[in-house]
Amino acid sequence: MGLSDALPEDYPTFLAALKVRIRQAQTRAILSVNRELILLYWQIGREIMERQEQEGWGSKVIDRLSDDLRKEFPDVRGFSPRNLKYMRSFAEAWPDPEFVQRAAAQIPWFHPCVIHESGYHGG
């Protein structure tokens, strides 16, 4: 075995440290995506709520919005009529955008508690 083929003695330590850094980066990326999704869901809910109040949007508009969003984004789950209504309820329950941003930034489990494709799982 040539000199270039031999592994350095500290290789296992180096590999372990890289694995930790990669996992930490993956976790930060997931939390960042979740944070953005929370804010997106809140914004969608807020806009639906405002349009319902100002323009009298009803269930038919929500159903059509759901269909159009799912056609445009077929790989994205979460735009069912039920979830759009949950987004509205979320925005209604938490009207302060600054609070929502702070909560989303600080609570990594907030996203799965708010909206899930199969329904509302929050408290």
Side-chain angles (χ1 to χ4, degrees):
M1 184 180 256
L3 190 54
S4 62
D5 293 335
L7 292 176
E9 284 183 34
D10 67 342
Y11 179 81
T13 304
F14 172 74
L15 179 60
L18 281 182
K19 288 179 182 180
V20 167
R21 288 173 46 201
I22 291 167
R23 286 190 181 105
Q24 288 172 341
Q26 288 173 325
T27 299
R28 285 192 307 271
I30 290 167
L31 293 177
S32 178
V33 168
N34 283 349
R35 197 168 29 249
E36 292 301 317
L37 286 175
I38 292 167
L39 297 175
L40 174 65
Y41 292 157
W42 184 87
Q43 291 166 350
I44 290 171
R46 178 71 178 238
E47 291 181 34
I48 289 171
M49 182 176 67
E50 289 172 354
R51 290 178 185 267
Q52 284 180 327
E53 291 170 359
Q54 296 168 4
E55 301 171 25
W57 276 23
S59 292
K60 288 185 181 181
V61 178
I62 301 298
D63 290 345
R64 173 65 188 264
L65 181 62
S66 172
D67 287 343
D68 289 340
L69 289 173
R70 289 192 286 184
K71 285 177 188 169
E72 182 67 25
F73 304 101
D75 296 333
V76 179
R77 297 180 59 175
F79 294 128
S80 68
R82 176 186 295 166
N83 275 351
L84 292 177
K85 291 172 187 170
Y86 290 144
M87 290 175 201
R88 184 209 185 280
S89 296
F90 173 42
E92 186 176 34
W94 304 99
D96 181 2
E98 290 182 27
F99 173 80
V100 173
Q101 288 178 344
R102 285 193 311 272
Q106 295 175 10
I107 307 173
W109 47 264
F110 193 60
H111 171 254
C113 292
V114 175
I115 296 177
H116 187 274
E117 182 63 28
S118 63
Y120 182 71
H121 293 278

